[in-house]
């Protein structure tokens, strides 16, 4: 079957750096997405990786290794507003999105 | 503001009630989706519509009935639901059905008593 694994919950300190990992086993691969979802709000798109390597967008970066079935989302200079759930999703060979259960990130002062 | 609006935001219903969830997108997208989000579980795709035609139905019970009258509006009709159907129901849209970025509504929080 297809599976996406990410930690259920992580805690980090304001101003620090945190890395949220995502590993996947899917039928084919056509890109990996990260979404952010604040409590009670809509998930919003953060990043997209289809080739190996690092994609940087401000304080957020996303890394992909297709050979390892692995991605991470790196958040730098953490702010309290970064407290949210982070969803990893992979687009398989049929262009279906396979979702992880999300990682709840708690930022402490 | 994502360009996708869902109503109602909260809904409480008994198992014998009939209610509907509404979704409207203002982005000119061709594809619309219903997802179910339960605590600590992955998003579950329920239905996909492309240009008002249903292209996918992921073995969803018949007590959930979708309707897409035009490319901007999507409904989810609910009847004789079960308590385990309590969840957040998210609507999303994308330019086409091979989704790049999905644009989500804020969801309808459904509680079935």
């Amino acid at each position: 079957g297809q599976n996406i694994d990410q930690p259920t919950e992580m805690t980090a300190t304001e101003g620090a750096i945190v890395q949220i990992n995502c590993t996947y086993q899917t039928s084919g691969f056509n890109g990996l997405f990260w979404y952010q979802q604040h409590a009670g709000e809509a998930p919003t798109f953060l990043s997209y990786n289809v080739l190996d390597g690092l994609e940087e967008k401000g304080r957020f970066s996303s890394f992909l290794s297709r050979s390892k079935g692995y991605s991470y989302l790196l958040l730098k200079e953490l702010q309290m507003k970064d407290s949210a759930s982070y969803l990893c999703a992979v687009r398989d060979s049929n262009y279906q999105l396979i979702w992880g259960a999300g990682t709840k990130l708690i930022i402490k002062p | 503001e994502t360009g996708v609006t869902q109503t109602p935001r909260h809904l409480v219903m008994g198992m014998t009630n009939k209610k509907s969830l509404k979704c409207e997108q203002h982005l000119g997208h061709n594809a619309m989706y219903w997802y179910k989000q339960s605590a600590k579980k992955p998003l579950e795709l329920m239905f996909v519509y492309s240009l008002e035609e249903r292209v996918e139905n992921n073995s969803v019970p018949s007590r959930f009935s979708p309707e897409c009258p035009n490319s901007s509006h999507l409904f989810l009709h609910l009847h004789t639901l079960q308590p385990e159907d309590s969840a957040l129901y998210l609507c999303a849209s994308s330019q086409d059905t091979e989704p790049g970025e999905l644009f989500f509504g804020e969801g309808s929080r459904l509680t079935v008593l």
Side-chain angles (χ1 to χ4, degrees), chain A residues 59-74:
Chain A
R59 294 188 298 113
F60 292 8
S61 302
S62 56
F63 172 83
L64 174 67
S65 169
R66 288 172 296 170
S67 63
K68 295 182 179 179
Y70 168 69
S71 172
Y72 67 73
L73 182 68
L74 190 71

Side-chain angles (χ1 to χ4, degrees), chain A residues 35 37 40 42 45 91 96 99, chain B residues 9 37 42 56 99 102 104-105:
Chain A
Y35 283 80
Q37 185 178 22
F45 171 81
R91 194 164 58 186
Q96 301 300 306
W99 294 85
Chain B
R9 293 292 311 278
Q37 187 175 37
E56 188 156 345
L102 285 174
F104 286 90

Side-chain angles (χ1 to χ4, degrees), chain A residues 8 33 35 37 40-45 87 91 94-97 99-102, chain B residues 2 9 35 37 40-43 45 56 88 90 98-102 104-106:
Chain A
T8 302
F33 299 82
Y35 283 80
Q37 185 178 22
E41 298 184 12
T44 55
F45 171 81
L87 311 179
R91 194 164 58 186
N94 294 320
Y95 284 84
Q96 301 300 306
L97 279 174
W99 294 85
Chain B
T2 63
R9 293 292 311 278
Y35 279 93
Q37 187 175 37
K40 300 184 179 181
K41 291 185 177 180
L43 288 177
L45 179 64
E56 188 156 345
L88 182 68
L90 290 166
E98 293 186 350
E101 180 180 351
L102 285 174
F104 286 90
E106 293 185 319

Side-chain angles (χ1 to χ4, degrees), chain B residues 60-77:
Chain B
V60 178
S62 59
R63 56 186 183 269
F64 294 92
S65 175
E67 179 189 0
C68 188
N70 56 61
S71 60
S72 298
H73 293 85
L74 186 64
F75 294 89
L76 188 63
H77 303 300

